[in-house]
Amino acid sequence: MLSGVRVRFAPSPTGSLHIGGARTALFNYLFARANGGKFILRLEDTDFERHIEGAVQGIIESLRWLGLDWDEGPDKGGPAGPYRQSERLALYRREAERLVASGAAYFCYCTPEELAAEREEARKAGRAPRYSGRCRELTPAERAAKEAQGRKPAVRLRVPPSGQTVVEDLIRGTVVFENATLDDFIIMKSNGVPTYNFACVVDDVTMGVTHVIRAEEHLSNTPKQILVYRALGYPLPAFAHVPMILAPDRSKLSKRHGATGIEEFRSQGYLPEALFNYLALLGWSPGDEREILSREEIIREFSLAAVSKHAAIYDVQKLTWLNSQYINSVPLERLVELALPFMRAAGLIGAVLDAQQEDYVRKVLETVRSRARTLLELADMAAYFFRDDFGYDPKGVKKFFTAPGVAALLRKGREALAGVAVFGVAETEAAYRRLIEAEGISGGALIHPTRLALTGRTVGPGLFDIIALLGKERCLERLERAASWIETNIKPE
């Protein structure tokens, strides 16, 4: 006997996992964990024409990357399996046959052309395009005649022509639907495949789902599903429809608003911890001004009562800021784990690192992490620690390499560093300060061109942190390279 809180996330393998689907999965996961319940992954894969090869694996990998672990599913099994709709067709057919036998449903032999003609006739008459019910009361002889024509029937549910179907929603409150706006909808297609509203109910019932937490766009399906529950004689679960996610201009979220798929966020260098945190705040609030919460805090404080009924606004700038906070605060070993694939993709490191290389990578990432907003940026900011063949920022060249005597000054800086015995942050800075004082120049007159010479950039970590980490040999080589480059490429005014 299945008991306790049981929720499910049921994606269709017709594409990659979108931010909206990920948020729905997350809310189900959080509700299950907050209530000591079970989180089920179910694949609604009966839309065979739209099925995309590899989509299932992509969805599973995205959920795992995000840090969502399910208790039952197609890869784990469980007491309510199978967890793919394509493997449950016999169950749907049995339940549909039971409804036909009880009179709650009936066979419909209408062809697509007949149904299209009905819709066109209703449109011309100014009526809503509802099924007329022409097959509702067919006699056995009429049915036999249609089958003799080779027609394969669909199965339709008998919908009450009047009255109301009421949805008691945990987020939106009481929502009333007039039965007159519904028609006798199809629950089994003529090819023996169930429709969404039928299969969904049968699955939720047989999997013991207690709370159906899903996107607001499914609210219009809920009255139909309630009618299916009642026809089958099953108790209703609790329903909770979470708000839509809109773009900053309150339009429908699309590619033009930035990344919208979990695989995109991953490839662009967002941390799963940051995206987990951000998605939780899309429609839910801990009740105060906190924006950075740990997984444990979110689970402990999550409740459907705190989910807003108003649309959530997707803000990539907010997500990127949050990501930068996580890059700067996650344990260094975790940051290294996340950053290594991006560093390898950028050609900065090899597939295998020895202990010395690993230590160097850790030191580099610790040095540059504070300014990075994504892992892509982090790898880029680390590049000059691994490559010597970089160019110089053009604006930096104009600002710092064109001053009279700068090549000679860089060589004096080289001499000062060459004389440092212990090549640490304090020691190299002291050598530079002595040179600055001896030359009677401002600190920036030496420090800015030195940074450009050593990194090719005008901004970054503290200069002497960079110098100490690069080491004496590379610093001396780069200062000489820059001085020679200036003499070759910068014409004296």
Side-chain angles (χ1 to χ4, degrees):
M1 181 70 179
L2 302 173
S3 61
V5 167
R6 292 174 63 82
V7 296
R8 48 71 169 178
F9 176 57
S12 297
T14 54
S16 58
L17 183 63
H18 186 270
I19 188 173
R23 197 270 306 264
T24 298
L26 175 61
F27 278 20
N28 275 279
Y29 166 85
L30 292 173
F31 186 77
R33 296 293 174 260
N35 292 279
K38 300 293 185 184
F39 174 46
I40 303 164
L41 176 64
R42 181 173 80 224
L43 295 174
E44 299 190 341
D45 61 347
T46 55
D47 191 347
F48 302 115
E49 292 181 359
R50 295 177 60 219
H51 187 110
I52 295 176
E53 190 67 31
V56 169
Q57 191 58 33
I59 290 169
I60 287 176
E61 287 178 2
S62 291
L63 289 171
R64 283 188 179 138
W65 174 81
L66 194 55
L68 305 187
D69 58 300
W70 44 96
D71 303 291
E72 303 170 26
D75 57 331
K76 289 189 173 183
Y83 295 90
R84 294 174 182 264
Q85 285 189 337
S86 58
E87 298 173 4
R88 299 169 64 83
L89 296 178
L91 173 61
Y92 309 133
R93 289 166 188 159
R94 283 199 303 273
E95 290 290 71
E97 288 166 2
R98 184 161 72 85
L99 290 178
V100 171
S102 71
Y106 60 91
F107 291 114
C108 173
Y109 296 86
C110 295
T111 65
E113 293 76 17
E114 289 169 341
L115 295 174
E118 265 195 7
R119 288 193 293 270
E120 180 62 18
E121 183 181 335
R123 188 189 65 80
K124 288 180 178 178
R127 303 191 309 269
R130 298 172 68 248
Y131 176 63
S132 64
R134 63 200 297 178
C135 292
R136 221 173 199 250
E137 307 300 339
L138 291 179
T139 65
E142 289 171 324
R143 283 183 53 200
K146 291 186 179 296
E147 288 180 8
Q149 297 173 13
R151 296 194 183 194
K152 293 185 177 181
V155 179
R156 289 184 183 270
L157 190 77
R158 293 182 190 273
V159 173
S162 61
Q164 298 174 328
T165 299
V166 179
V167 180
E168 297 295 347
D169 193 271
L170 295 175
I171 295 172
R172 313 196 68 78
T174 301
V175 186
V176 178
F177 294 86
E178 298 293 333
N179 291 338
T181 64
L182 306 174
D183 59 6
D184 290 354
F185 56 92
I186 293 174
I187 59 173
M188 291 289 286
K189 302 173 190 175
S190 59
N191 61 0
V193 175
T195 59
Y196 166 76
N197 284 316
F198 184 61
C200 181
V201 170
V202 173
D203 288 341
D204 286 344
V205 166
T206 54
M207 292 182 181
V209 171
T210 59
H211 295 74
V212 174
I213 305 169
R214 58 190 177 191
E216 179 186 355
E217 64 195 52
H218 287 290
L219 182 59
S220 60
N221 288 316
T222 308
K224 294 181 179 181
Q225 292 177 13
I226 287 175
L227 292 171
V228 173
Y229 275 103
R230 288 174 177 161
L232 289 169
Y234 292 122
L236 298 180
F239 291 99
H241 290 87
V242 299
M244 293 178 65
I245 300 175
L246 298 178
D249 61 0
R250 304 193 73 83
S251 64
K252 186 176 180 180
L253 194 59
S254 66
K255 292 283 187 183
R256 66 187 175 90
H257 300 110
T260 56
I262 301 306
E263 291 175 359
E264 291 177 277
F265 289 114
R266 184 177 184 179
S267 66
Q268 290 180 13
Y270 288 89
L271 276 63
E273 292 93 332
L275 193 56
F276 186 105
N277 188 159
Y278 179 73
L279 289 176
L281 297 177
L282 276 181
W284 171 80
S285 168
D288 52 37
E289 298 302 313
R290 284 176 296 160
E291 295 181 305
I292 299 176
L293 298 97
S294 69
R295 173 188 301 265
E296 292 71 28
E297 288 174 316
I298 295 171
I299 290 173
R300 184 170 62 248
E301 300 185 31
F302 183 82
S303 74
L304 291 175
V307 174
S308 171
K309 65 176 66 175
H310 305 295
I313 304 300
Y314 169 66
D315 184 350
V316 70
Q317 292 181 331
K318 176 75 171 291
L319 170 59
T320 304
W321 171 82
L322 194 64
N323 200 56
S324 71
Q325 303 304 300
Y326 273 88
I327 286 177
N328 203 35
S329 63
V330 295
L332 182 57
E333 291 303 319
R334 172 63 174 158
L335 185 64
V336 171
E337 174 191 350
L338 292 165
L340 284 178
F342 291 86
M343 298 178 73
R344 290 192 174 103
L348 303 182
I349 57 175
V352 179
L353 303 179
D354 60 30
Q356 186 177 357
Q357 290 170 324
E358 287 181 2
D359 184 58
Y360 183 63
V361 167
R362 278 193 291 272
K363 289 176 179 175
V364 168
L365 294 181
E366 181 64 34
T367 300
V368 303
R369 73 193 301 192
S370 65
R371 291 176 175 267
R373 298 177 303 168
T374 67
L375 295 172
L376 271 177
E377 286 188 359
L378 187 69
D380 177 67
M381 290 176 178
Y384 56 81
F385 284 102
F386 299 90
R387 287 181 178 156
D388 298 311
D389 59 344
F390 53 80
Y392 303 112
D393 175 69
K395 291 183 180 179
V397 167
K398 187 175 182 180
K399 191 171 183 180
F400 302 123
F401 276 5
T402 56
V406 71
L409 187 58
L410 287 175
R411 286 201 172 98
K412 288 180 181 180
R414 182 184 185 283
E415 287 179 29
L417 294 180
V420 176
V422 178
F423 211 74
V425 174
E427 294 80 4
T428 54
E429 182 173 4
Y432 253 44
R433 296 301 175 191
R434 288 193 294 270
L435 176 59
I436 289 166
E437 186 176 350
E439 292 292 316
I441 58 176
S442 68
L446 177 61
I447 288 173
H448 292 317
T450 297
R451 177 186 295 279
L452 187 58
L454 296 179
T455 69
R457 309 181 187 206
T458 58
V459 295
L463 175 62
F464 300 102
D465 292 311
I466 294 171
I467 288 174
L469 192 49
L470 282 173
K472 181 184 287 190
E473 183 179 343
R474 295 177 91 178
C475 286
L476 301 185
E477 288 175 354
R478 291 184 183 188
L479 287 169
E480 177 56 38
R481 173 192 173 218
S484 298
W485 187 91
I486 292 168
E487 291 169 342
T488 302
N489 295 278
I490 304 297
K491 294 180 181 180
E493 293 184 359

Short mmCIF file of all heavy atoms in Angstrom, two decimals, residues 59 193 423 429:
data_model
loop_
_atom_site.label_atom_id
_atom_site.label_comp_id
_atom_site.label_asym_id
_atom_site.label_seq_id
_atom_site.Cartn_x
_atom_site.Cartn_y
_atom_site.Cartn_z
N ILE A 59 17.05 15.00 -20.38
CA ILE A 59 16.23 15.45 -19.26
C ILE A 59 16.76 14.89 -17.95
O ILE A 59 16.90 15.60 -16.95
CB ILE A 59 14.76 15.04 -19.48
CG1 ILE A 59 14.15 15.86 -20.63
CG2 ILE A 59 13.95 15.22 -18.20
CD1 ILE A 59 12.80 15.37 -21.09
N VAL A 193 -3.87 4.67 -28.26
CA VAL A 193 -2.97 5.45 -27.39
C VAL A 193 -3.81 6.42 -26.57
O VAL A 193 -4.70 7.08 -27.10
CB VAL A 193 -1.93 6.22 -28.23
CG1 VAL A 193 -1.07 7.13 -27.34
CG2 VAL A 193 -1.04 5.24 -28.98
N PHE A 423 60.23 34.83 -3.94
CA PHE A 423 59.32 35.45 -4.89
C PHE A 423 57.87 35.36 -4.38
O PHE A 423 57.01 34.68 -4.96
CB PHE A 423 59.47 34.77 -6.25
CG PHE A 423 59.19 35.70 -7.42
CD1 PHE A 423 60.12 36.67 -7.78
CD2 PHE A 423 58.03 35.61 -8.15
CE1 PHE A 423 59.89 37.53 -8.84
CE2 PHE A 423 57.78 36.45 -9.22
CZ PHE A 423 58.72 37.42 -9.56
N GLU A 429 56.17 43.03 -4.03
CA GLU A 429 55.60 44.37 -3.88
C GLU A 429 56.63 45.34 -3.30
O GLU A 429 56.74 46.49 -3.75
CB GLU A 429 54.36 44.34 -2.98
CG GLU A 429 53.72 45.71 -2.85
CD GLU A 429 52.40 45.70 -2.11
OE1 GLU A 429 51.98 44.62 -1.62
OE2 GLU A 429 51.76 46.77 -2.04
#
